Amino acid sequence: MILGVGTDLANIERIAGTLDRFGDRFRNRVFTEVEQAKANRRKDVAGTYAKRWAAKEACSKALGTGLAMGISWKDMSVSNMSTGQPIMHVTGWAKDRLDQMTPPGHEAVIHVTLTDDHPWAQAFVVIEARPIA
């Protein structure tokens, strides 16, 4: 069963400008060390950050809150499987909210997909509840 759906569209040039203006202050406030390491290895640093920004926004929407009610940017993070597939992780308040949304006898699975076509980065998040076998 689907518990939540979220999407977001981020402007890569706006994220690049924010990175130029606020640098580490912005990076450290919004992105985990894993996300920062991933971006620093990529040719398109701003595009990588923009996709992760969009994923966090989309995840907060799928959780039904947006970035409100105590959720922190770092409560949501994106890493990648060895195949390149993105994975959304939640901790803190976001994890608490996910646990509240998940019906008894089910486990929550967060699906995320990212794409970009300069100057846009986009993310979709679907939260699914699967019965525990």
Side-chain angles (χ1 to χ4, degrees):
M1 108 183 46
I2 302 300
L3 299 179
V5 176
T7 185
D8 193 66
L9 184 67
N11 185 290
I12 295 169
E13 292 173 5
R14 182 173 67 90
I15 296 296
T18 302
L19 288 165
D20 288 343
R21 184 170 178 197
F22 296 104
D24 285 342
R25 185 170 144 213
F26 171 66
R27 277 187 285 274
N28 293 331
R29 179 175 167 254
V30 176
F31 301 100
T32 65
E33 289 180 15
V34 170
E35 291 171 315
Q36 291 181 46
K38 173 76 172 183
N40 292 335
R41 289 191 305 266
R42 302 294 300 266
K43 182 178 179 183
D44 183 11
V45 172
T48 301
Y49 279 123
K51 285 186 280 190
R52 278 146 181 77
W53 171 280
K56 290 168 187 266
E57 287 275 7
C59 184
S60 71
K61 293 170 185 175
L63 289 168
T65 64
L67 285 161
M69 299 173 60
I71 199 166
S72 165
W73 286 104
K74 287 185 171 182
D75 284 348
M76 303 164 287
S77 65
V78 178
S79 66
N80 295 84
M81 296 173 63
S82 61
T83 60
Q85 179 182 345
I87 304 167
M88 177 65 70
H89 307 275
V90 292
T91 59
W93 191 92
K95 174 72 167 115
D96 293 344
R97 173 69 179 146
L98 182 63
D99 291 345
Q100 291 170 1
M101 295 171 60
T102 306
H106 290 74
E107 64 179 342
V109 179
I110 303 175
H111 304 275
V112 60
T113 186
L114 309 173
T115 191
D116 65 293
D117 187 5
H118 196 84
W120 301 106
Q122 186 174 32
F124 286 97
V125 170
V126 176
I127 302 175
E128 172 189 13
R130 288 186 188 160
I132 298 171

